[in-house]
Amino acid sequence: MSTEAVPFKVADLSLAEFGRKEIRLAEHEMPGLMAVRAEFARSQPLRGARITGSLHMTIQTAVLIETLVALGAQVRWASCNIFSTQDHAAAAVAVGPDGTPEDPKGIPVFAWKGETLPEYWWCTEQALTWPGQPGPNMLLDDGGDATLLVHKGAEFEAVGSVPDAADDDPEEWRVVLAVLRASLADSPGKWTAVAAEIKGITEETTTGVHRLYEMAKAGTLKFPAINVNDSVTKSKFDNKYGCRHSLVDGINRATDVLIGGKVAMICGYGDVGKGCAESLRGQGARVIVTEIDPICALQAAMDGFQVARLEDVVATADIFVTATGNYNIITAEHMSKMKHQAIVGNIGHFDNEIDMAGLARLPGIRRTNIKPQVDEWTFADGHSVIILSEGRLLNLGNATGHPSFVMSNSFTNQVIAQIELFTRGEEYPLGVHVLPKHLDEKVARLHLDALGVRLTTLTKEQANYIGVPVEGPYKPDHYRY
Amino acid sequence: MSAPSASSPQPAQAVPPQAMPAQSTPSQVADPGQAAAGLARIGWAEHAMPVLGLIRDSFEQQQPFAGLAVAACLHVTAETAVLVNLITAGGGRLHLAASNPLSTQDDIAAALAAEPGVTVFARSGVDRRAYYEHIHRALDAAPRLVIDDGCDLVNTLHAERTELLAGVRGGCESTTTGVARLRRMAAEGTLAFPMVAADASRTRRMFDNFYGTGQSVIDGILRATNTLLAGQVVVVAGYGPCGRGIAERARGLGAQVIVTEVDPVRALGALMQGFRVLPMAQAAPLGQVFITATGSRDVIGPGHVAAMRDGAILANAGHFDVEIDVRALAELSAAVHPAVRPHADEYLLDDGRRLILLAEGRVVNLVAAEGNPASVMDLSFAVQALALAWLAGEGGEGRDGRGGPDGQMSSLEPGVHEVPAEIDTQIATLALASRGAGIDALTPVQQEYLDSWRQGS
């Protein structure tokens, strides 16, 4: 992949008008972001911020990007998944509200639906490369790929070389190493300089947050991070309510099977798994949960779900969904034992929850593409399974991800976290932080009016009685909601 | 007493043509001193039964049962008392026996026995002999109308009191089980008078079976065992309206529900609703709570019991105590510890497993809880009340000059009759009104559109 500088790269600029119409509709469904725009329009707290974003390039993300711009930031963007870009959203962001496809005036975005892995990492690198600047001074990450590239680049620059991939390394890691190898040859010291500029990173998702805590623990984290994922108004809403909506949407769009009466396995009963289980049950499926954590397993049982081991029920279920954040959850061997045309999909962040490589290596396996993001894999014995989005998160690959309202909660946290790190960085030392509770409550507050919620206000006496300020925060930090 | 309307039967002036052994027996209740307590609970139930209240107002005006003897075999509960009072308010004399040896609420029996126009033969905990004795005493009044719940009264009439049959104008039956017995009698040609199948009205099915039984069976199990249903595997046998209600409520409490069925259509319905469907033989080792709601017998038999987990709870929601094979359970047991809690008997199997049988296998929502909530019984009893008034009135144009309040039999043929659709509509309308809900009415244009076959796409 060429490293030649281009202002942006999207699939088709002529889609911009359609994207702009959808952005306009989404803005109405994202009251938190619009309220933040109104609140900070004058003070411009992100003036001087150069934000590199690596996050699914969807319509909702377009509203986030334009909110960051409205608060004074400069922004460059890539998607964080090869399938999750909505091309009309990317086009609209590149063209901008005031530009035209002939004269684009938007922000540099590098994203299209159906990137190859080399293309994907090229896009990530482009978003991190600021012409005439040493690099971004803020990262907004989803899954930690931008963070990883900066950290690994700086790490390899420090030792002066990029290691060779091991035989059992996944394909994607080979691509990352290739990108960094080219970068070290081309512009040595680039990532060290980038890392030095960055004031902080805000991370969107469980998987990325997990990486950040690992890095902090290992002492390799190079700048402070805000864990946006664990804001209550993010994880409890986006993960649960968002997936509850978009899982079924994705399965329906991909397969149009009647879910009522089917047996569905949900691997993982965290926030995402809880939303998935509820939505499939709501459609009339009988849901079986797998868990490794006794607390989550007990929760599933108390919610009335059968909790089983995958190998014990793999031959009886019709729909399999992974939501663990772990890898090798559904193996090739599992898939070989499934019912004919069982549907297998993943709603976890990465594509390693389902062992696609192992599936592809099975002797005699045959892949038939049914339609985009829907493949039938036929085993040597003639029976087959349907894989959604090649094992990547199906709610984005097969549908349109979380709906705007849910994302408004998540992204309002992102914007507030960016403001916090950029303007009050001294209060966030190196490490991983969560947003203080009063900001979490603020995000929720910004979404109440749109739903017609009439909030009750504590009297002074009541506030004193339970020992909280009238205006909040109302719960201790350890409260679990 | 106000003047009856034109459509109502005339108050009885003539005595029945046949010389009936109409010697009513005085009430037989456990403790007349409990009447005050019963009265208070009847008042409570009245508040929750607004539809019966509205019907009562109209009965007081129209006196549809003026001078008529009505024999009823019903669960003697506060809700039943509201129905009883409504019939006496409509001019009837009511003779009440219990429809279950365990379900009688003695305070209610006492309160009713103190009411004018009512005699009661009911005590909780009677044996089989006393149970039928009570039914005979209610029949002693030579009833013109009957209300039955399980068909024991109608059965007794046909089997042992045939001398009374000619005087019976008709009646209604409130349970599915009882209606099934009536249909068998009608098929054999032995049913001597018209019976309205009050179990089968739309309001009854919806409210009583699905909502009422669904909630109260769970209530009975909780009261009897205090078990936490969340996380437990609950096996519901039968996915009719009762079974569906039970399954939904159990799931709502966090149970994992398995359904067993014999009817493929119903089984498919359960499956599509997201329930696991298994034969009982496969469900037996999985379940922690078993609830039968089939109307059939031996649904849980010795083979199932032998496979069950230690501590499994067995409850029956069906009308009769034959759904769980209690005798087989006893035979498999090394010991029985009765009443480890009220309405919970522990059966100790040879290998040390304990199974908990609730309410001796009798209908658990009535024995261990309070039966259907009053607001549900409001609708069921409204069907009975209006069906009975319909029987009392419709027959006025009857055929052979016998049996009615004015000496006439019903114009209806002997046999099982459906609840007239107008009664269902009337009840639903009253129920909506009592809940403050308004609905739309078809416009003439809409009505014409719906009636026409000419307008297409």
Side-chain angles (χ1 to χ4, degrees):
Chain A
M1 187 61 56
S2 157
T3 53
E4 170 196 350
V6 291
F8 58 83
K9 189 165 167 59
V10 300
D12 182 359
L13 274 190
S14 72
L15 299 171
E17 188 187 341
F18 172 35
R20 183 54 52 188
K21 288 176 185 165
E22 286 228 297
I23 289 170
R24 214 175 55 237
L25 294 185
E27 285 172 350
H28 182 71
E29 274 288 290
M30 304 188 84
L33 286 182
M34 300 313 280
V36 167
R37 281 191 203 181
E39 180 179 346
F40 295 109
R42 184 163 307 187
S43 60
Q44 295 283 296
L46 293 178
R47 184 186 300 281
R50 298 188 305 277
I51 302 172
T52 287
S54 165
L55 197 153
H56 310 289
M57 185 56 251
T58 63
I59 290 291
Q60 293 76 29
T61 301
V63 182
L64 166 64
I65 290 170
E66 293 181 354
T67 302
L68 296 169
V69 171
L71 269 49
Q74 293 174 273
V75 179
R76 291 175 76 81
W77 213 268
S79 196
C80 64
N81 181 288
I82 63 173
F83 287 127
S84 65
T85 297
Q86 295 170 343
D87 286 325
H88 62 316
V93 166
V95 166
D98 304 320
T100 64
E102 295 71 35
D103 181 21
K105 292 180 176 166
I107 68 127
V109 52
F110 304 87
W112 58 95
K113 190 178 182 81
E115 296 159 359
T116 64
L117 284 173
E119 286 169 343
Y120 171 79
W121 285 96
W122 176 84
C123 288
T124 307
E125 189 183 12
Q126 289 304 307
L128 285 161
T129 305
W130 288 68
Q133 301 275 3
N137 55 15
M138 296 292 294
L139 293 184
L140 192 160
D141 216 348
D142 182 344
D145 280 351
T147 306
L148 175 126
L149 202 61
V150 172
H151 277 83
K152 286 295 168 188
E155 181 188 324
F156 297 152
E157 284 171 0
V159 296
S161 71
V162 175
D164 292 328
D167 283 346
D168 57 348
D169 277 340
E171 186 197 350
E172 184 154 12
W173 182 239
R174 295 167 192 276
V175 174
V176 172
L177 293 179
V179 165
L180 289 175
R181 203 169 288 121
S183 161
L184 257 66
D186 237 32
S187 38
K190 166 180 176 172
W191 299 108
T192 309
V194 168
E197 274 291 297
I198 292 174
K199 293 157 92 74
I201 166 208
T202 60
E203 168 57 51
E204 174 78 6
T205 200
T206 313
T207 302
V209 165
H210 183 70
R211 280 185 181 178
L212 287 172
Y213 281 112
E214 292 283 304
M215 290 162 75
K217 198 169 139 196
T220 55
L221 184 65
K222 290 182 180 301
F223 26 81
I226 288 185
N227 162 4
V228 169
N229 180 68
D230 287 313
S231 288
V232 176
T233 46
K234 198 280 180 181
S235 55
K236 289 284 174 182
F237 287 69
D238 171 314
N239 293 355
K240 184 172 181 187
Y241 305 122
C243 291
R244 187 178 68 180
H245 166 92
S246 59
L247 171 73
V248 167
D249 190 13
I251 292 173
N252 282 339
R253 293 199 205 194
T255 68
D256 200 28
V257 295
L258 180 67
I259 293 172
K262 296 292 196 297
V263 177
M265 302 265 346
I266 304 289
C267 301
Y269 201 68
D271 288 325
V272 171
K274 287 179 174 76
C276 292
E278 190 181 339
S279 70
L280 287 170
R281 171 185 274 180
Q283 294 290 308
R286 180 162 70 81
V287 174
I288 304 176
V289 169
T290 73
E291 251 302 342
I292 51 97
D293 178 331
I295 296 177
C296 293
L298 185 59
Q299 274 183 309
M302 300 299 275
D303 287 340
F305 297 109
Q306 183 183 351
V307 181
R309 290 184 177 163
L310 186 55
E311 47 272 31
D312 294 337
V313 285
V314 71
T316 59
D318 304 286
I319 299 169
F320 295 82
V321 178
T322 53
T324 69
N326 208 320
Y327 84 114
N328 258 359
I329 304 305
I330 294 181
T331 64
E333 193 191 347
H334 288 138
M335 287 185 271
S336 70
K337 291 177 179 161
M338 287 176 185
K339 282 162 85 166
H340 183 49
Q341 290 193 357
I343 294 165
V344 184
N346 163 49
I347 198 165
H349 188 82
F350 286 119
D351 64 345
N352 52 10
E353 302 209 15
I354 300 165
D355 182 12
M356 294 305 297
L359 182 66
R361 278 198 301 267
L362 285 181
I365 191 88
R366 190 159 42 85
R367 171 181 171 178
T368 310
N369 182 253
I370 306 293
K371 61 183 184 180
Q373 282 81 56
V374 181
D375 292 294
E376 181 179 19
W377 290 73
T378 308
F379 297 91
D381 68 359
H383 93 287
S384 64
V385 294
I386 312 269
I387 307 281
L388 306 185
S389 292
E390 302 180 14
R392 293 172 188 274
L393 69 191
L394 75 95
N395 60 332
L396 278 147
N398 296 94
T400 54
H402 297 330
S404 299
F405 193 86
V406 162
M407 294 316 294
S408 181
N409 281 277
S410 309
F411 287 168
T412 305
N413 278 295
Q414 278 285 7
V415 175
I416 288 175
Q418 287 280 325
I419 295 172
E420 285 287 298
L421 277 181
F422 188 68
T423 63
R424 294 149 48 82
E426 65 286 355
E427 297 190 18
Y428 296 90
L430 183 62
V432 186
H433 308 269
V434 291
L435 280 179
K437 189 155 295 284
H438 73 274
L439 293 177
D440 214 347
E441 289 176 356
K442 173 178 177 172
V443 172
R445 227 179 259 281
L446 293 176
H447 290 87
L448 296 180
D449 273 352
L451 298 177
V453 172
R454 296 278 293 134
L455 197 63
T456 304
T457 307
L458 284 173
T459 65
K460 189 87 190 86
E461 294 72 23
Q462 288 173 322
N464 288 340
Y465 181 70
I466 58 169
V468 301
V470 168
E471 65 282 359
Y474 304 102
K475 301 288 193 293
D477 283 337
H478 60 261
Y479 185 75
R480 294 193 178 90
Y481 294 88
Chain B
M1 190 182 291
S2 52
S5 74
S7 63
S8 299
Q10 295 297 311
Q13 289 145 348
V15 292
Q18 292 87 4
M20 294 292 180
Q23 298 157 344
S24 302
T25 314
S27 290
Q28 298 173 11
V29 300
D31 175 11
Q34 294 184 31
L39 211 55
R41 290 211 298 124
I42 294 168
W44 173 273
E46 276 172 350
H47 283 296
M49 304 182 91
V51 174
L52 287 189
L54 293 170
I55 294 171
R56 180 185 171 132
D57 292 345
S58 103
F59 278 7
E60 275 175 351
Q61 290 286 316
Q62 310 206 340
Q63 295 292 302
F65 309 115
L68 283 179
V70 180
C73 181
L74 293 166
H75 298 289
V76 180
T77 64
E79 294 77 31
T80 297
V82 180
L83 173 67
V84 166
N85 287 338
L86 168 155
I87 288 166
T88 54
R93 285 178 286 113
L94 201 114
H95 307 271
L96 176 66
S99 63
N100 184 291
L102 293 181
S103 67
T104 297
Q105 297 168 1
D106 286 324
D107 56 344
I108 301 297
L112 279 176
E115 294 281 329
V118 184
T119 47
V120 182
F121 309 96
R123 268 196 332 268
S124 94
V126 295
D127 59 16
R128 184 183 163 81
R129 195 194 56 77
Y131 171 75
Y132 278 102
E133 166 71 15
H134 283 156
I135 289 176
H136 276 285
R137 294 297 72 78
L139 289 173
D140 286 346
R144 295 310 158 80
L145 294 170
V146 295
I147 310 175
D148 211 350
D149 183 308
C151 199
D152 280 345
L153 182 137
V154 171
N155 210 265
T156 304
L157 252 175
H158 284 76
E160 298 172 38
R161 302 298 291 271
T162 49
E163 80 280 7
L164 300 175
L165 285 174
V168 180
R169 186 180 171 83
C172 54
E173 162 60 50
S174 54
T175 68
T176 305
T177 303
V179 169
R181 291 176 82 186
L182 288 172
R183 288 193 200 283
R184 290 194 291 272
M185 291 172 72
E188 285 176 14
T190 51
L191 184 58
F193 45 79
M195 284 291 288
V196 174
D199 75 306
S201 75
R202 286 160 67 201
T203 43
R204 161 84 195 217
R205 276 253 187 279
M206 189 194 317
F207 283 84
D208 190 334
N209 296 356
F210 182 78
Y211 295 106
T213 306
Q215 177 175 320
S216 62
V217 164
I218 299 297
D219 186 18
I221 292 169
L222 299 187
R223 293 198 204 191
T225 64
N226 200 26
T227 193
L228 179 68
L229 283 185
Q232 299 220 51
V233 177
V234 172
V235 178
V236 178
Y239 197 69
C242 292
R244 269 196 301 131
I246 296 164
E248 290 289 356
R249 298 303 168 248
R251 173 147 81 181
L253 287 167
Q256 200 190 115
V257 177
I258 296 174
V259 169
T260 73
E261 248 302 341
V262 295
D263 176 336
V265 177
R266 283 183 165 169
L268 183 60
L271 196 77
M272 299 305 280
Q273 199 61 22
F275 296 112
R276 192 174 185 185
V277 178
L278 290 175
M280 183 57 87
Q282 289 177 35
L286 302 176
Q288 290 156 300
V289 179
F290 293 82
I291 306 168
T292 55
T294 68
S296 182
R297 60 173 295 165
D298 302 337
V299 178
I300 292 178
H304 306 129
V305 167
M308 284 178 184
R309 295 163 65 162
D310 182 33
I313 293 165
L314 311 182
N316 167 43
H319 185 83
F320 287 118
D321 61 351
V322 296
E323 303 210 11
I324 299 168
D325 187 348
V326 178
R327 183 179 300 176
L329 179 61
E331 281 167 5
L332 281 170
S333 300
V336 181
H337 301 132
V340 285
R341 286 171 59 94
H343 308 302
D345 300 333
E346 182 182 87
Y347 286 74
L348 189 64
L349 303 190
D350 287 335
D351 60 5
R353 279 177 300 146
R354 296 152 304 154
L355 301 181
I356 311 296
L357 178 68
L358 304 188
E360 302 173 16
R362 294 178 191 276
V363 56
V364 70
N365 58 336
L366 279 148
V367 179
E370 297 174 55
N372 280 332
S375 56
V376 173
M377 296 313 293
D378 189 27
L379 297 181
S380 306
F381 284 157
V383 177
Q384 310 250 35
L386 293 178
L388 215 61
W390 178 69
L391 280 170
E394 201 84 345
E397 299 131 29
R399 43 178 196 198
D400 56 5
R402 293 184 299 118
D406 47 1
Q408 292 186 321
M409 282 301 282
S410 168
S411 60
L412 295 170
E413 294 297 323
V416 180
H417 298 267
E418 304 306 321
V419 175
E422 309 82 72
I423 288 184
D424 246 344
T425 308
Q426 189 184 352
I427 291 168
T429 305
L430 291 173
L432 284 169
S434 72
R435 285 159 175 78
I439 62 170
D440 291 324
L442 290 173
T443 65
V445 173
Q446 287 172 325
Q447 188 63 62
E448 188 191 334
Y449 174 78
L450 294 173
D451 291 344
S452 167
W453 52 268
R454 292 180 190 282
Q455 296 181 47
S457 51

